[in-house]
Amino acid sequence: MSSAPDTIVLAARVHTLSPDAAPVTAVAVKDGLISAVGDALDARAWRGPGTEVLDLGDATLVPGLTDAHSHPVLGLDMATGVDLSGVRDLDGLRAALTGAERADGWVVGWGLDHNVFAGRPVHREHLEAALGPDTPAFVRLYDGHSALVSGAALRIAGLDGPREFAQRALVVCDADGTPTGHLIEHAAMDLVVAVMPRRPLEERREALLALLSGMAATGLTSAHVMDAGGDVLELLRGVEDGHELPLRLRLAPWCMPGTDKEGLAELIALQREAGRNWLVGGVKFFMDGTVEGGTAWLEHPDCHGQSRDSFWLDPQAYTAAVHHLHDAGVRTATHAIGDAGVRHVLDTVEALGADGRMRHRVEHIETLPYEQAVRFRQAGVIASMQPTHSAYTRADHTDQWSLRLGEERAARAWTCRTLRDSGAVLALGSDWPIAHFDARAILAYAQLRRHAGTDTAPVAPDQALTPLMALEGYTTHAALAAGEPETTGRIAPGLRADLTAFTLDPLTAAPDELARTAVPLTMSNGVVTHRAD
């Protein structure tokens, strides 16, 4: 080595994920990059007077984990108020809201499971039974695409009837045209969000830094952030004024229906924005909404006759926007949950020809027939999935997601293994705050198809990933999804020094134990972002 490294990391096992790599137990880091790999003898030769040696003993070192779909900034607003993710029925909802704290007079909650309503209408009466008629309340359902608000909140927002939108969105109303309080999709929810109290910018900066530090403690070194609206860039710059971001963030601002050529030009210009440990890299689209909200785009309607349409009123306008951005060199990621939505994205990318391969990705992919899974490899489209989302369903198909789809479509839930076996690239993530960000739990869930440490029946166990496939989803395949296979995702000289250490070996440990394993070290860009005592 021409000069001594800044840091040397020693571990009993190092999974470099580089093909045909020799056994490694030592990694040298200099100026944010991996400068050498070798063994303990090599490490002694590398060491200089200023080199810090981090001996992790019997730990296992892997490439730094990347959450390929997360909302750490937007999620600060989404995951506000009382956490309702543990509520299982309407009595539990009433109890949780009755004791909820108020912010400027509002009761705010998040993470409410659609199954709580057991098929009943999602109606403001359930809020007002706990809070009375005069308390403004806003409760996000777990999917992040719908909310239930009280009558007082509707009055403050001036919402007294249905609205028309440039995208698929709905203010649900009773037969007489009175809003029920159920708001479906972003445009409808934003009508109330606009009049709600919000935390000051400085408080949000502190909260973001704390959140990212918590993510780093589970082994995450970077995240693909699927939003960049509002004051997100200002927020990130403010954090970096006095701190290092614990995770490297790759942001994708939204392109919504109705975006014209001027709007597309602004999205292209945003691709130049970057900080020390963040950058704008790509654009996020929505092809549909959610199964539970009736806004997924399915080849055949759900049991309520819903989920028949694209999020874009004109799907061809979506295709034109993707092609325009592709011609400008911009990568895209498209939320597509239903089979018709996925098909349209595949059609759109296939039309780009060979130049479109490995540049565009589909997010979520909740129900997928085999013939479409094969098309991912054929078209070179990247799949990005969140295994723990299937935890909102049940193996016996008695949940609302499954009931809406019916047995046949529910049986092809989150087909992770089919996609991998067909040769597709499959990046994994959490979609926090829709599901918890803990990478260890998701690595375990991907193998178990249930939460670790529970006796819950697994959902579609034939779709379980191998330990290596799961780890690749957070490393090499996540790097491919970002177009960075020569920059990150492996442990090799010249690549970014993103490293994660586990007490247990993620390739041999029982998944139930892996979910609870300690994380001795996390390093992002050569900076230690988490170190266990």
Coordinates of all heavy atoms in Angstrom, one line a residue, residues 108-150:
V108 N -53.4 13.0 16.5 CA -52.8 12.4 15.2 C -52.3 11.0 15.5 O -51.7 10.8 16.6 CB -51.6 13.3 14.7 CG1 -51.0 12.7 13.5 CG2 -52.1 14.7 14.5
G109 N -52.5 10.1 14.6 CA -52.1 8.7 14.8 C -51.6 8.2 13.5 O -51.8 8.7 12.4
W110 N -50.9 7.0 13.5 CA -50.4 6.4 12.3 C -50.3 4.9 12.5 O -50.3 4.4 13.6 CB -49.0 7.0 12.0 CG -48.0 6.7 13.0 CD1 -47.8 7.3 14.2 CD2 -46.9 5.8 12.9 NE1 -46.7 6.8 14.9 CE2 -46.1 5.9 14.1 CE3 -46.5 4.9 11.9 CZ2 -45.0 5.1 14.4 CZ3 -45.4 4.1 12.2 CH2 -44.6 4.2 13.4
G111 N -50.2 4.2 11.4 CA -49.9 2.8 11.4 C -51.1 1.9 11.6 O -51.0 0.7 12.0
L112 N -52.3 2.4 11.4 CA -53.6 1.7 11.7 C -53.8 0.6 10.6 O -53.9 0.9 9.4 CB -54.8 2.6 11.8 CG -56.1 2.0 12.2 CD1 -56.0 1.3 13.6 CD2 -57.2 3.0 12.2
D113 N -54.0 -0.6 11.1 CA -54.2 -1.7 10.2 C -55.6 -1.7 9.6 O -56.6 -1.6 10.3 CB -53.9 -3.0 10.9 CG -53.8 -4.3 10.0 OD1 -54.4 -4.2 8.9 OD2 -53.2 -5.3 10.5
H114 N -55.7 -1.9 8.3 CA -57.1 -2.0 7.7 C -57.9 -3.1 8.3 O -59.1 -3.0 8.3 CB -56.9 -2.2 6.2 CG -56.5 -1.0 5.4 ND1 -57.4 -0.2 4.7 CD2 -55.2 -0.5 5.1 CE1 -56.7 0.8 4.1 NE2 -55.4 0.6 4.3
N115 N -57.2 -4.2 8.7 CA -58.0 -5.3 9.3 C -58.7 -5.0 10.5 O -59.7 -5.7 10.9 CB -57.0 -6.5 9.5 CG -56.5 -7.1 8.3 OD1 -57.2 -7.5 7.4 ND2 -55.2 -7.0 8.1
V116 N -58.4 -3.8 11.2 CA -59.1 -3.4 12.4 C -60.6 -3.2 12.1 O -61.5 -3.5 12.9 CB -58.5 -2.1 12.9 CG1 -59.5 -1.4 13.9 CG2 -57.2 -2.4 13.6
F117 N -60.9 -2.8 10.9 CA -62.3 -2.5 10.5 C -63.1 -3.8 10.1 O -64.3 -3.7 10.0 CB -62.4 -1.5 9.4 CG -61.8 -0.1 9.8 CD1 -60.5 0.2 9.5 CD2 -62.5 0.8 10.5 CE1 -59.9 1.4 9.9 CE2 -62.0 2.0 10.9 CZ -60.6 2.3 10.6
A118 N -62.4 -4.9 9.9 CA -63.0 -6.2 9.6 C -64.1 -6.1 8.5 O -65.1 -6.7 8.6 CB -63.6 -6.7 10.9
G119 N -63.8 -5.3 7.5 CA -64.7 -5.2 6.4 C -65.8 -4.1 6.5 O -66.5 -3.8 5.6
R120 N -65.9 -3.5 7.7 CA -66.8 -2.4 7.9 C -66.3 -1.1 7.2 O -65.1 -1.0 7.0 CB -67.0 -2.1 9.4 CG -67.5 -3.2 10.2 CD -67.7 -2.8 11.7 NE -68.0 -3.9 12.6 CZ -67.1 -4.6 13.2 NH1 -65.8 -4.4 13.1 NH2 -67.5 -5.6 14.0
P121 N -67.2 -0.2 6.9 CA -66.7 1.1 6.3 C -65.7 1.8 7.2 O -65.9 1.8 8.5 CB -68.0 1.9 6.2 CG -69.1 0.9 6.1 CD -68.7 -0.2 7.0
V122 N -64.7 2.4 6.6 CA -63.7 3.2 7.3 C -64.4 4.6 7.5 O -64.4 5.4 6.6 CB -62.4 3.3 6.5 CG1 -61.4 4.2 7.3 CG2 -61.9 1.9 6.3
H123 N -64.9 4.8 8.7 CA -65.8 6.0 8.9 C -65.4 6.8 10.1 O -64.9 6.3 11.1 CB -67.3 5.6 9.1 CG -68.3 6.6 8.8 ND1 -68.6 7.6 9.8 CD2 -69.1 6.9 7.7 CE1 -69.5 8.4 9.3 NE2 -69.8 8.0 8.0
R124 N -65.5 8.1 10.0 CA -65.1 9.0 11.1 C -65.8 8.8 12.4 O -65.4 9.2 13.5 CB -65.4 10.5 10.7 CG -66.8 10.9 10.5 CD -67.0 12.3 10.1 NE -68.4 12.7 10.1 CZ -69.2 12.5 9.1 NH1 -68.8 11.8 8.0 NH2 -70.5 12.8 9.2
E125 N -67.0 8.1 12.4 CA -67.7 7.8 13.6 C -66.8 7.0 14.6 O -67.0 7.1 15.8 CB -69.0 7.0 13.3 CG -68.7 5.6 12.7 CD -70.0 4.9 12.3 OE1 -71.0 5.6 12.2 OE2 -69.9 3.7 11.9
H126 N -65.9 6.2 14.1 CA -65.0 5.5 15.0 C -64.0 6.4 15.7 O -63.6 6.1 16.8 CB -64.2 4.4 14.2 CG -65.1 3.5 13.4 ND1 -66.0 2.7 14.0 CD2 -65.2 3.2 12.1 CE1 -66.7 1.9 13.1 NE2 -66.2 2.2 11.9
L127 N -63.7 7.5 15.1 CA -62.8 8.5 15.8 C -63.7 9.3 16.8 O -63.3 9.5 17.9 CB -62.2 9.4 14.8 CG -61.3 8.8 13.7 CD1 -60.7 10.0 12.9 CD2 -60.3 7.9 14.3
E128 N -64.8 9.7 16.4 CA -65.7 10.6 17.2 C -66.3 9.9 18.4 O -66.6 10.5 19.4 CB -66.7 11.2 16.3 CG -66.1 12.2 15.3 CD -67.0 12.6 14.1 OE1 -68.2 12.1 14.1 OE2 -66.6 13.3 13.2
A129 N -66.4 8.6 18.3 CA -66.8 7.8 19.5 C -65.8 7.9 20.6 O -66.2 7.9 21.8 CB -67.0 6.3 19.1
A130 N -64.6 8.1 20.3 CA -63.5 8.2 21.3 C -63.2 9.7 21.7 O -62.9 10.0 22.8 CB -62.3 7.5 20.8
L131 N -63.3 10.6 20.7 CA -62.8 11.9 20.9 C -63.9 13.0 20.9 O -63.7 14.1 21.2 CB -61.9 12.3 19.7 CG -60.7 11.4 19.6 CD1 -59.9 11.7 18.3 CD2 -59.7 11.5 20.7
G132 N -65.2 12.6 20.6 CA -66.2 13.6 20.5 C -66.2 14.3 19.2 O -65.3 14.1 18.3
P133 N -67.2 15.1 18.9 CA -67.4 15.7 17.6 C -66.6 16.9 17.3 O -66.5 17.4 16.2 CB -68.9 16.1 17.6 CG -69.2 16.4 19.0 CD -68.4 15.4 19.8
D134 N -65.9 17.5 18.3 CA -65.2 18.8 18.1 C -63.7 18.7 18.1 O -63.0 19.7 18.0 CB -65.6 19.7 19.3 CG -67.1 20.0 19.3 OD1 -67.7 20.1 18.1 OD2 -67.7 20.1 20.3
T135 N -63.1 17.5 18.2 CA -61.7 17.3 18.2 C -61.2 17.0 16.8 O -61.6 16.0 16.2 CB -61.3 16.1 19.1 OG1 -61.7 16.4 20.5 CG2 -59.7 16.0 19.1
P136 N -60.3 17.8 16.2 CA -59.7 17.5 14.9 C -58.8 16.3 15.1 O -57.9 16.3 16.0 CB -59.0 18.7 14.5 CG -58.7 19.5 15.8 CD -59.8 19.1 16.7
A137 N -58.9 15.3 14.2 CA -58.1 14.1 14.3 C -57.7 13.6 12.9 O -58.5 13.7 12.0 CB -58.8 13.0 15.1
F138 N -56.5 13.1 12.8 CA -56.0 12.6 11.5 C -55.3 11.3 11.8 O -54.2 11.3 12.5 CB -55.1 13.6 10.9 CG -54.5 13.2 9.5 CD1 -55.1 13.7 8.3 CD2 -53.4 12.4 9.4 CE1 -54.6 13.3 7.1 CE2 -52.9 12.0 8.2 CZ -53.5 12.5 7.0
V139 N -55.7 10.2 11.3 CA -55.1 8.9 11.5 C -54.7 8.3 10.2 O -55.6 8.0 9.3 CB -56.1 8.0 12.3 CG1 -55.5 6.5 12.3 CG2 -56.4 8.5 13.7
R140 N -53.4 8.1 10.0 CA -53.0 7.4 8.8 C -53.2 5.9 8.9 O -52.8 5.3 10.0 CB -51.5 7.7 8.5 CG -51.2 9.1 8.1 CD -49.7 9.2 7.7 NE -49.4 10.6 7.4 CZ -49.5 11.2 6.2 NH1 -50.0 10.4 5.2 NH2 -49.2 12.4 6.0
L141 N -53.7 5.3 7.9 CA -53.7 3.8 7.9 C -52.3 3.3 7.5 O -51.5 4.1 6.9 CB -54.8 3.3 6.9 CG -56.2 3.3 7.6 CD1 -56.8 4.7 7.6 CD2 -57.1 2.4 6.8
Y142 N -52.0 2.1 7.8 CA -50.7 1.6 7.7 C -50.1 1.7 6.3 O -48.9 1.8 6.1 CB -50.6 0.1 8.2 CG -50.9 -0.9 7.1 CD1 -50.0 -1.4 6.2 CD2 -52.2 -1.4 7.0 CE1 -50.4 -2.3 5.2 CE2 -52.6 -2.3 6.1 CZ -51.6 -2.8 5.2 OH -52.0 -3.7 4.2
D143 N -50.9 1.6 5.2 CA -50.4 1.6 3.9 C -49.8 3.0 3.4 O -49.1 3.0 2.4 CB -51.5 1.2 2.9 CG -52.7 2.1 2.8 OD1 -52.7 3.2 3.5 OD2 -53.7 1.8 2.1
G144 N -50.1 4.0 4.2 CA -49.5 5.3 3.9 C -50.3 6.0 2.7 O -50.0 7.2 2.4
H145 N -51.2 5.4 2.1 CA -52.0 5.9 1.0 C -53.4 6.3 1.4 O -54.2 6.7 0.5 CB -52.0 4.9 -0.1 CG -50.7 4.8 -0.9 ND1 -50.6 5.2 -2.2 CD2 -49.5 4.4 -0.5 CE1 -49.4 5.0 -2.6 NE2 -48.7 4.5 -1.6
S146 N -53.7 6.2 2.7 CA -55.1 6.5 3.1 C -55.1 7.0 4.5 O -54.2 6.7 5.3 CB -56.1 5.4 2.9 OG -55.6 4.2 3.6
A147 N -56.2 7.7 4.9 CA -56.3 8.2 6.3 C -57.7 8.3 6.6 O -58.6 8.4 5.8 CB -55.6 9.6 6.4
L148 N -58.0 8.4 7.9 CA -59.3 8.6 8.5 C -59.2 9.9 9.3 O -58.4 10.0 10.2 CB -59.8 7.4 9.3 CG -61.1 7.5 10.0 CD1 -62.2 7.7 9.0 CD2 -61.4 6.3 10.9
V149 N -60.1 10.8 9.0 CA -60.1 12.1 9.7 C -61.5 12.3 10.3 O -62.5 11.8 9.9 CB -59.7 13.2 8.8 CG1 -58.3 13.0 8.2 CG2 -60.7 13.5 7.8
S150 N -61.5 13.1 11.4 CA -62.8 13.4 12.1 C -63.5 14.5 11.4 O -63.0 15.2 10.5 CB -62.5 13.9 13.5 OG -61.8 15.1 13.5

